[in-house]
Amino acid sequence: MQRDDPVAQLCVYRAEAGLHEIKRVERLPVETKDWDEKRAKIGLQEGYGLFSSLTSRRHSRADAHLILGQEEGTIMELSKWINSNYLTPEGIADVRESVKAKPTMKYCVLDNFFLPERIDAIIAHHATLKFDEAADRTGHDMEILPYDGAVKWADGNDVGAEFYFAEEVKEYFCYLLNRLKPRRTSVELKLRWHKPHATGFWIHSDSVWRSIVAIMYFNKNWKASDGGLLQLWRPDEASYDKSTIFDNIRSDQRLDFLNENQRLKTNTPGGGWPSHWPHQSRDMILVDQIVPAYNRLFLCDLDADPTFHSVTPSCDKIRTGFVYWLNNESHPNFKGK
C-alpha cells in the first residue's frame, strides 16, 4: 500500500485500532490495551507518525479494503463520494492546518465537497421527500423552539445513506479536525428543508453529547443577500452597557436583528448550553458568517468548543441541505435521537 494513499491509510488505521481482528498487519509496540488512551497521551502529532507507520508497501489499496471489509461485507470508499482534492495528502494537510489555525472554534469550510453526480443524486432524492416541521421545532419538554425548519430523519433507505452512516466517514471527519473519534459513537442525520422567508434560528449550541457537526448545503446560486447565513458566536467574559439585550425569543419571531448586531447580550440562549456555563446574561460576539452555498460543507469539532451559532432569516428562496451529528454515546448525558 502506498504511503501517500490516505484512503487506504484510514482503512488500515481503523482496522488496527481494534475495530476488527487483523492478523497480517504488523502490531505497534503499544503496551496498553486502551488504544485511544495511548494515542491521546502521545499527542496527535506523534500519533499521526504512528498512524503512518501502519502502512506498508507490500499491501495494496485493495488489500486495505479487503481487510476493513472482512466482517462488514461491503466497503464505503471515500473516493467514490468526495472531491479528490480532499483525499490527497496535500489536501488533507491543508484542511488540518486551517483547523489548527482557528483560535477557539475548530472548524473548516470545504467547497465542492461531494462529486457532482453524488450531490445531485442526493438533491434529486431530497426533492421527493416529505418534511415534518414539528419534528424539527419541538424541544425535549415539548416547547416550540425559535428554529424555523422542517426535517426528515435520514435512514438506510435514503440516497446517501451509504456515506452518512459509514465508519470511514466518522474516521475521516475526526482526522480532518485533528481529533480522536470517541470510542462509542452513533450518527444522527437530519435532511432539512426551509421555506421561503424562513424566520431564522436563535443562538444555541449542538454540543453536550454531540462531538462533531457537519452541515451540507444544496443551494445553487445562493448569495449572502438571500439570507440563511450560518453565524458563529463566541461568549465574551466582558460585558458592555451598550450591548443590546435580546431575551425570550418567540418561536414565530423573525430574527432580522441577527443581521444588525455583531455583538449582543442574552439571558436566554437556545438549547445545548453547556451545564458548566450557567444561564446568565452574556455578551456574544459574532465571529464568522457562512453562506449556505451549493456543495459547501461546514465541519466543526463540538468537543473543542461549544460553537454557539444562529441562522439569519432568509428571503424568497427555499433552502435545503442536511445536518450530520457524530454522537458520543459514552457521554453521561447522552439521550440519543
Side-chain angles (χ1 to χ4, degrees):
M1 180 172 64
Q2 297 297 317
R3 292 182 182 273
D4 60 353
D5 187 338
V7 176
Q9 287 180 358
L10 283 168
C11 291
V12 177
Y13 159 67
R14 176 184 164 209
E16 186 62 19
L19 295 173
H20 300 280
E21 288 296 321
I22 305 301
K23 303 299 183 185
R24 59 184 175 133
V25 179
E26 57 196 86
R27 291 282 172 186
L28 291 175
V30 178
E31 295 179 359
T32 177
K33 292 182 180 179
D34 191 337
W35 171 247
D36 284 344
E37 180 180 345
K38 180 67 177 178
R39 288 178 62 235
K41 287 180 179 178
I42 62 178
L44 209 54
Q45 185 60 38
E46 186 179 351
Y48 176 65
L50 293 175
F51 162 76
S52 298
S53 74
L54 285 171
T55 64
S56 167
R57 293 186 183 277
R58 69 174 179 269
H59 295 303
S60 68
R61 180 189 181 97
D63 286 337
H65 286 166
L66 285 172
I67 290 171
L68 181 61
Q70 214 169 36
E71 298 176 9
E72 295 184 351
T74 60
I75 297 300
M76 211 302 297
E77 293 187 42
L78 296 175
S79 59
K80 291 184 177 180
W81 286 84
I82 299 172
N83 184 331
S84 61
N85 292 336
Y86 299 122
L87 293 175
T88 65
E90 297 79 11
I92 290 175
D94 285 346
V95 174
R96 284 163 57 89
E97 286 300 310
S98 74
V99 173
K100 289 178 185 177
K102 302 294 191 301
T104 53
M105 303 175 195
K106 299 300 180 183
Y107 69 95
C108 55
V109 178
L110 309 180
D111 284 327
N112 300 312
F113 179 74
F114 280 126
L115 297 176
E117 62 272 22
R118 290 294 190 178
I119 188 170
D120 288 346
I122 291 173
I123 292 172
H125 170 71
H126 193 277
T128 69
L129 301 176
K130 293 183 179 180
F131 296 90
D132 184 347
E133 184 173 355
D136 203 27
R137 305 193 69 180
T138 305
H140 289 295
D141 55 0
M142 304 308 293
E143 85 278 19
I144 303 302
L145 302 171
Y147 311 143
D148 192 353
V151 66
K152 190 269 183 189
W153 290 99
D155 57 39
N157 296 316
D158 288 303
V159 173
E162 175 191 356
F163 179 88
Y164 303 150
F165 302 109
E167 287 295 324
E168 293 86 345
V169 174
K170 298 178 186 179
E171 301 281 358
Y172 177 68
F173 282 167
C174 287
Y175 191 66
L176 289 182
L177 292 170
N178 304 292
R179 55 154 298 156
L180 301 174
K181 181 174 74 67
R183 181 177 295 279
R184 292 173 51 217
T185 62
S186 60
V187 170
E188 288 181 86
L189 193 134
K190 284 183 175 181
L191 298 166
R192 271 224 168 105
W193 183 90
H194 302 272
K195 63 190 177 187
H197 303 286
T199 57
F201 280 38
W202 177 227
I203 297 173
H204 65 288
S205 172
D206 292 344
S207 63
V208 186
W209 65 80
R210 287 167 171 162
S211 284
I212 285 177
V213 62
I215 305 176
M216 167 56 65
Y217 298 110
F218 297 161
N219 313 296
K220 294 184 177 180
N221 304 313
W222 197 278
K223 299 179 176 61
S225 58
D226 294 320
L229 306 181
L230 175 65
Q231 297 182 311
L232 305 182
W233 299 83
R234 69 170 178 84
D236 192 3
E237 294 301 323
S239 180
Y240 293 91
D241 293 338
K242 293 183 179 180
S243 297
T244 305
I245 299 175
F246 295 94
D247 276 335
N248 301 313
I249 305 302
R250 302 190 316 274
S251 60
D252 61 346
Q253 182 175 351
R254 186 172 169 87
L255 308 183
D256 288 302
F257 63 83
L258 290 173
N259 292 310
E260 302 161 2
N261 291 270
Q262 296 184 17
R263 184 184 190 102
L264 55 81
K265 188 191 300 289
T266 183
N267 244 336
T268 54
W273 199 262
S275 58
H276 61 284
W277 287 28
H279 280 230
Q280 61 187 30
S281 183
R282 285 186 176 272
D283 280 38
M284 307 294 289
I285 299 174
L286 185 62
V287 174
D288 200 357
Q289 295 189 133
I290 295 159
V291 177
Y294 170 74
N295 207 0
R296 171 171 288 170
L297 183 78
F298 168 81
L299 180 63
C300 184
D301 182 354
L302 297 176
D303 285 339
D305 187 272
T307 311
F308 299 104
H309 57 283
S310 58
V311 179
T312 67
S314 61
C315 298
D316 58 355
K317 291 183 179 180
I318 292 172
R319 189 173 79 257
T320 56
F322 69 68
V323 181
Y324 167 112
W325 289 291
L326 181 64
N327 293 327
N328 179 1
E329 293 193 347
S330 299
H331 194 284
N333 294 328
F334 175 69
K335 297 179 181 178
K337 176 177 167 181

